[in-house]
Amino acid sequence: DPGYEDYCLYNYPRNLSLVTENTTVECTAPLTPLLMYYASYWDPEAVAEVIEELKDPAKIEALNKVGVCANPQVFCPPEIVETFTPEEVIFAFTFGLKVQNITSTWDMKGDLIDNITQATELASYMVLVDVFAGVVDFGFDQTFSVANPASQYSRGILFWGGPYTNRNTSGLSEEEAKEARKADDDQLKNYILENYLEKMDKQSDPETHATLNSYYFMTAIIGDVILDIVTQDGLLALFSFAFVFCWIRLNTGSWFLAFVGFFEIFFSIPVAWFLFTVVFQIKYFSTLNTLALFIVAAIGADDIFIFMDAYKQSQYHLDILTDLETRMSWVYRRTGTAMAITSATTCAAFLCTLITPLSSIQSFGIFAACVILIDYVLVMSLFCTAVVIYHDRYESRAKCGCCCPCGVQTPSVTENAKAAIEANNGEEMKRDRVSEFFRTKVSSFVQKPLNRLVLAVVFLSWVGVSIWQATKIEPTKENEQFLDENHPLQKSISILDKEFPTANDDIGMKVYYAWGLGLVDR
């Protein structure tokens, strides 16, 4: 990619005074094991000599004892050198020069070396020496060792530079410098999103390569990737809400009742928020509380179905068809009790979250309970009123459940239902197929003692298995996954977290202190 040179981190000489307009500056090489496998020069004899020396545990112990003094590029104070024998210092320094001569050509500018096995063996021995381990161990997973010179996972880092525009930052205030850095970060992020993200997603597709999986990770693009996922999930959420609306319309047979029902479901959210925040004075509003919207969409629709089912069933009972008031009183009492019990048990279940010490779970439980309570109140008030209006003006009048014409129906639907039963000589009229199925099939099945016993055994068995599984629940031992487990970013996070050594697993860098006293005026 020719554009990469405009964003990479340049490898300037240490003496910047030598840099002129004509100086050619190359991009810093990535941190990856490929540097070793694509070295510009590979001396197999020198590598074999180093490997043979590292096969001696005594020499590895001596190198680790001398520490940083084995690295020719690091200054070793005379006070530290004096603590070692001359033989140890000479051996460590000489060996360090050999390693430096080998690693100095690891620049990824050559072709793939002929002896890949030898390079891997060298890396497996170098990780045993503290001062050289950092050169190779970054690119190999935690199972890589002399006994297992193979790594299932590898990783690499590309270094990005900046600034991307010519400017003098010496005279900028702290706030202006911060804005300038942010502008550079945004420019780099846009460059990655426009030129690399789609290609990286393609490379991470399991179908792209048969034997290799490639994943990516970059902190700057995590927010954009998550935002894209949230946008897609938001569209799915809209689809689910549209499905709920269409199902309410299908069940009620009225656009008017569908709109009112859908409104009361969502209106329960702000009312519950007022109760949660203003009345109960709960300041912490967890992001988990937003899930209550999906819960109330399901429970609210179910309450509407219960109410409408009772309303439809009432037209088959001659004794309550005296007038609309008597009919609605029967519907109100029949559904109010049933929904009150189910709503109360649901609220109680959510309030059980108060026993947990996690504030986010407590907040969610209280808010969800408030939402369910308000939804029940709105169904029994707002939606009930809408059913009365529907009965007087729209039911059995317009096609497809539409709202026109809008005048009061005479005679009313209740009067027509009463007249239909009387015209049938008081005999029970045939109901819809669902009602007939439950009245004739389900009810007769449940009334048999043997069937009830079988259902009880199945239910108790299910409860027993649930309790047994609940006792096996343990606290999470891994970091929470914010993305789908198959997403390239989540794959990278999981691999970096599990497959490579962490701070707890690292041996740690040895630090050497030189203690002494200054001149003392006696």
Side-chain angles (χ1 to χ4, degrees):
D1 179 16
Y4 172 71
E5 296 183 357
D6 297 330
Y7 292 88
C8 70
L9 177 65
Y10 289 145
N11 187 17
Y12 288 100
R14 292 188 177 183
N15 188 357
L16 295 179
S17 61
L18 301 178
V19 179
T20 64
E21 294 183 357
N22 298 325
T23 301
T24 301
V25 183
E26 298 179 343
C27 294
T28 301
L31 180 58
T32 168
L34 295 178
L35 293 172
M36 173 175 58
Y37 295 108
Y38 286 87
S40 57
Y41 175 74
W42 186 264
D43 187 349
E45 295 181 358
V47 173
E49 181 181 352
V50 169
I51 293 176
E52 285 301 318
E53 291 195 71
L54 289 178
K55 289 182 179 181
D56 186 353
K59 293 184 178 181
I60 293 178
E61 183 179 358
L63 290 171
N64 288 333
K65 178 182 178 181
V66 176
V68 294
C69 294
N71 190 342
Q73 295 180 331
V74 177
F75 171 73
C76 196
E79 295 83 359
I80 297 180
V81 175
E82 293 175 357
T83 61
F84 309 123
T85 64
E87 292 78 9
E88 290 175 336
V89 175
I90 295 175
F91 165 71
F93 188 81
T94 305
F95 187 85
L97 286 176
K98 295 179 182 178
V99 174
Q100 182 182 357
N101 291 334
I102 294 173
T103 58
S104 62
T105 59
W106 293 1
D107 48 17
M108 210 172 171
K109 294 181 179 180
D111 296 329
L112 182 63
I113 62 176
D114 297 329
N115 199 339
I116 298 177
T117 304
Q118 186 186 48
T120 306
E121 184 181 12
L122 173 64
S124 68
Y125 279 101
M126 287 181 65
V127 296
L128 299 177
V129 183
D130 297 339
V131 72
F132 301 133
V135 181
V136 293
D137 67 347
F138 177 83
F140 299 94
D141 61 28
Q142 57 188 355
T143 64
F144 183 73
S145 63
V146 174
N148 179 41
S151 179
Q152 181 179 357
Y153 301 95
S154 182
R155 57 183 172 178
I157 297 179
L158 291 175
F159 298 100
W160 305 98
Y164 305 125
T165 56
N166 295 327
R167 64 171 183 269
N168 185 1
T169 59
S170 59
L172 298 179
S173 64
E174 182 178 350
E175 187 65 25
E176 292 174 336
K178 183 178 180 181
E179 293 180 358
R181 289 193 297 269
K182 184 179 183 304
D184 282 341
D185 293 341
D186 292 340
Q187 183 176 344
L188 173 61
K189 180 181 68 174
N190 293 333
Y191 170 74
I192 297 295
L193 294 176
E194 294 174 2
N195 296 276
Y196 286 101
L197 185 59
E198 184 177 351
K199 297 177 182 178
M200 291 189 297
D201 286 334
K202 178 63 176 177
Q203 289 295 320
S204 63
D205 191 338
E207 298 181 357
T208 302
H209 303 287
T211 59
L212 175 68
N213 292 325
S214 176
Y215 306 110
Y216 60 87
F217 178 83
M218 186 175 183
T219 305
I221 65 174
I222 289 179
D224 293 84
V225 172
I226 293 179
L227 180 61
D228 182 62
I229 295 174
V230 170
T231 302
Q232 297 178 13
D233 291 346
L235 296 176
L236 293 176
L238 292 178
F239 171 78
S240 65
F241 295 143
F243 177 80
V244 170
F245 174 80
C246 294
W247 195 255
I248 293 175
R249 164 63 185 86
L250 182 65
N251 180 271
T252 60
S254 168
W255 291 107
F256 172 72
L257 290 181
F259 278 110
V260 174
F262 204 65
F263 171 78
E264 70 86 4
I265 289 175
F266 284 91
F267 190 62
S268 61
I269 296 292
V271 176
W273 177 84
F274 177 84
L275 185 66
F276 178 86
T277 305
V278 179
V279 178
F280 294 153
Q281 293 291 305
I282 301 177
K283 303 301 182 182
Y284 179 67
F285 192 86
S286 171
T287 54
L288 193 62
N289 293 6
T290 55
L291 296 180
L293 182 62
F294 299 92
I295 296 174
V296 74
I299 296 179
D302 184 60
D303 289 344
I304 291 174
F305 298 156
I306 294 174
F307 194 95
M308 287 304 298
D309 183 68
Y311 174 76
K312 294 175 182 179
Q313 293 295 326
S314 64
Q315 65 180 319
Y316 301 109
H317 298 271
L318 182 61
D319 55 329
I320 63 173
L321 295 178
T322 307
D323 50 38
L324 179 61
E325 290 78 6
T326 304
R327 182 183 179 183
M328 290 304 298
S329 176
W330 181 86
V331 174
Y332 201 92
R333 286 182 283 108
R334 183 181 180 90
T335 59
T337 303
M339 286 190 292
I341 295 174
T342 57
S343 298
T345 54
T346 305
C347 290
F350 281 119
L351 292 177
C352 287
T353 58
L354 293 175
I355 65 176
T356 178
L358 302 177
S359 57
S360 59
I361 302 298
Q362 291 179 343
S363 175
F364 168 72
I366 297 174
F367 183 72
C370 293
V371 171
I372 300 305
L373 173 63
I374 297 303
D375 176 73
Y376 169 74
V377 173
L378 291 178
V379 170
M380 298 305 296
S381 56
L382 178 62
F383 190 77
C384 178
T385 305
V387 172
V388 173
I389 298 175
Y390 167 73
H391 169 275
D392 289 342
R393 295 178 178 272
Y394 311 132
E395 187 178 5
S396 300
R397 168 177 275 179
K399 295 181 179 179
C400 301
C402 296
C403 301
C404 296
C406 301
V408 176
Q409 300 180 84
T410 304
S412 67
V413 176
T414 299
E415 293 172 346
N416 290 336
K418 180 180 180 181
I421 296 177
E422 292 176 345
N424 201 33
N425 297 323
E427 295 182 3
E428 186 175 350
M429 299 181 64
K430 187 176 181 180
R431 310 184 184 191
D432 59 273
R433 289 179 295 178
V434 176
S435 299
E436 288 294 327
F437 173 77
F438 279 95
R439 289 181 69 250
T440 58
K441 304 296 183 181
V442 177
S443 60
S444 60
F445 176 84
V446 175
Q447 288 176 1
K448 296 180 180 180
L450 180 61
N451 294 341
R452 292 201 298 270
L453 178 61
V454 172
L455 292 175
V457 171
V458 172
F459 175 75
L460 292 176
S461 301
W462 176 78
V463 171
V465 172
S466 300
I467 295 175
W468 170 57
Q469 290 294 325
T471 58
K472 301 173 64 175
I473 297 178
E474 298 178 352
T476 179
K477 299 179 181 179
E478 300 177 355
N479 294 333
E480 182 179 1
Q481 293 187 0
F482 294 96
L483 302 173
D484 183 83
E485 61 180 4
N486 293 321
H487 192 278
L489 269 179
Q490 186 59 57
K491 283 281 190 181
S492 299
I493 295 173
S494 300
I495 292 174
L496 292 173
D497 184 48
K498 300 176 183 179
E499 304 300 336
F500 289 92
T502 60
N504 292 333
D505 302 325
D506 288 339
I507 299 176
M509 178 181 293
K510 293 182 179 180
V511 180
Y512 298 86
Y513 293 92
W515 301 98
L517 295 174
L519 296 177
V520 179
D521 186 0
R522 299 183 183 277

